[in-house]
Amino acid sequence: MGYIGIDESVADTRLNPDLFFDIQSDKSLKYQLKQPVPVIFDTDVGNDIDDVLAMQMLFNYEKAGKIDLLGITISKSNPYSIEYIDGYCRLNERGDIPLGYAYNGATPEDGGYLRQTLDTIIEGNKILHPQRSIKDNLPEGYKLLRKLLASQPDNSVVFIAVGPETNLSRLLHSEADEYSPLDGKSLVAQKVKLLSVMGGLYGNEFDFPEWNLVQDISAAQTVFSEWPTPVIASGWELGNKLLYPHQSILNDFPDAYKHPLCVSYQIYDKMPYDRQTWDLTSVIQAIEPEKDYFELSTKGTITIDSAGHSLFNASDKGQHQYLMIQGKENIQRTLDAIVRQVTGKEEKNINQ
């Protein structure tokens, strides 16, 4: 009992400590308290249109509170890829996102939609408004990766790579610098939780060198032989089974006629066409593994031969796995989830 004023009793306002509990031990709060996953995206936007769709998936994941997109490194060594990605980041209100670039890297050609989309004017306005270009002296991709990784908690970063692996290889071979006393391989081992990579060809259905690997075979060989964390690979055969419906491009985006994703998609190839979702499979697996959209192979080791073939050898000690999917129902369920994530139609902030 306490008192207020003169001889005026009030109830004891002290809080009973028995009413409290250790918040860390309360498993029921697991999802309420879940922090956004730190993600780095390495992309060759400009070579294929699936990179743009994959990038939009990540922006929608971030808007929903599921990830923190730390930065984007560009593996296509073409200046227009910088402008396109910067403009696309600004479209998604992330003009502040750090960008890194693979100078003297693979695929320097313009590609099929970068310049065309950047030059597109609709209703008197350009549809992309980049503010960064090759003239701004972006950091080398591997240097930005070192900076980003050094700032993150140990074993926390999910790394998604969907193009030639130039930046990753240069990271692994990098030395101690102003950002970290660790060499590249040690820094990756300390900071990265998982590498989700689109590259290679797995199973017995097809047999040819996959495009991403062929563009920088030396880099691919380095990454698959030296990357020190678990690696989940999405092969060409997987995205080839999941075709993004052109109807979504036409109908699911506000003002689709001037949305840069939709404009680029229609520039890239003659409509109507349904494009393979190669890069998108690596994104959805990396961010939502608990949804079991795919099966995982047994553990093993992936090696890349001199022609760019990806060879998988099962081994209990291996850190590599690849994705698989079987059955029309599973394919449709996964494709529906990919479309929802690209369009953001079920976007919800998990922290609200």
Side-chain angles (χ1 to χ4, degrees):
M1 192 71 70
Y3 293 87
I4 182 169
I6 301 175
D7 297 330
E8 296 182 27
S9 62
V10 296
D12 191 342
T13 58
R14 289 176 296 178
L15 297 175
N16 184 348
D18 293 336
L19 296 176
F20 295 87
F21 52 85
D22 180 1
I23 198 168
Q24 297 294 331
S25 67
D26 182 30
K27 303 304 181 185
S28 68
L29 296 180
K30 176 181 178 182
Y31 296 104
Q32 297 178 41
L33 301 175
K34 190 173 182 180
Q35 295 298 309
V37 176
V39 171
I40 294 173
F41 186 48
D42 187 85
T43 175
D44 61 331
V45 163
N47 286 330
D48 201 309
I49 194 62
D50 59 334
D51 291 81
V52 182
L53 276 66
M55 188 162 54
Q56 187 61 58
M57 290 177 75
L58 288 169
F59 283 125
N60 288 339
Y61 276 127
E62 186 169 62
K63 292 171 187 175
K66 292 183 178 180
I67 72 168
D68 177 10
L69 188 55
L70 303 176
I72 297 174
T73 48
I74 304 166
S75 59
K76 180 173 177 61
S77 192
N78 178 279
Y80 291 108
S81 63
I82 298 173
E83 296 180 40
Y84 188 103
I85 290 175
D86 182 65
Y88 205 86
C89 289
R90 295 178 192 282
L91 176 73
N92 284 274
E93 300 180 343
R94 281 304 315 273
D96 61 331
I97 197 164
L99 300 180
Y101 182 66
Y103 294 89
N104 300 311
T107 64
E109 62 276 0
D110 286 351
Y113 62 86
L114 292 176
R115 293 183 65 174
Q116 296 92 323
T117 307
L118 288 164
D119 290 343
T120 294
I121 297 175
I122 295 177
E123 298 174 344
N125 297 303
K126 288 194 171 185
I127 60 173
L128 283 175
H129 304 278
Q131 296 182 24
R132 285 179 283 186
S133 72
I134 193 70
K135 298 178 182 178
D136 291 297
N137 297 314
L138 292 186
E140 283 271 7
Y142 81 91
K143 289 291 284 187
L144 177 62
L145 293 174
R146 289 188 60 86
K147 180 179 181 179
L148 296 175
L149 290 175
S151 69
Q152 295 303 304
D154 292 352
N155 192 40
S156 66
V157 176
V158 171
F159 203 125
I160 304 172
V162 296
E165 291 157 19
T166 310
N167 288 317
L168 284 70
S169 175
R170 292 175 180 178
L171 168 63
L172 290 173
H173 287 163
S174 65
E175 299 179 351
D177 60 7
E178 66 271 31
Y179 301 121
S180 173
L182 301 176
D183 62 34
K185 189 173 179 179
S186 299
L187 183 61
V188 169
Q190 184 177 93
K191 299 295 184 177
V192 174
K193 179 180 181 181
L194 171 74
L195 170 60
S196 180
V197 58
M198 193 281 126
L201 190 67
Y202 308 98
N204 301 317
E205 195 173 355
F206 302 97
D207 182 21
F208 55 84
E210 190 272 321
W211 193 89
N212 278 349
L213 305 186
V214 171
Q215 305 315 306
D216 193 339
I217 291 178
S218 176
Q221 290 173 328
T222 295
V223 170
F224 279 100
S225 65
E226 298 184 28
W227 193 269
T229 78
V231 175
I232 295 181
S234 176
W236 183 93
E237 75 287 348
L238 186 75
N240 191 53
K241 294 179 180 179
L242 298 152
L243 304 181
Y244 196 91
H246 70 275
Q247 295 91 338
S248 173
I249 300 298
L250 297 174
N251 301 321
D252 288 345
F253 294 84
D255 296 327
Y257 72 98
K258 62 179 181 180
H259 192 293
L261 182 152
C262 303
V263 171
S264 293
Y265 192 99
Q266 293 177 75
I267 290 172
Y268 180 75
D269 204 351
K270 184 177 180 180
M271 290 286 275
Y273 73 99
D274 298 342
R275 191 59 177 161
Q276 288 92 336
T277 59
W278 292 303
D279 297 352
L280 292 71
T281 60
S282 286
V283 170
I284 199 168
Q285 172 64 29
I287 309 305
E288 299 188 86
E290 74 282 357
K291 296 291 183 65
D292 294 326
Y293 290 123
F294 306 103
E295 299 175 56
L296 286 173
S297 72
T298 58
K299 291 184 178 181
T301 301
I302 297 169
T303 56
I304 311 302
D305 71 14
S306 60
H309 294 93
S310 46
L311 311 171
F312 179 81
N313 294 298
S315 168
D316 292 340
K317 296 181 180 179
Q319 292 206 89
H320 300 165
Q321 294 174 281
Y322 62 87
L323 300 177
M324 304 177 291
I325 193 167
Q326 299 293 335
K328 290 184 179 180
E329 289 185 5
N330 289 334
I331 290 173
Q332 191 60 53
R333 169 179 172 264
T334 300
L335 184 58
D336 289 346
I338 287 173
V339 171
R340 288 195 302 269
Q341 191 56 42
V342 172
T343 61
K345 284 202 162 186
E346 288 192 358
E347 190 176 295
K348 184 186 297 183
N349 192 315
I350 63 172
N351 295 320
Q352 291 182 348

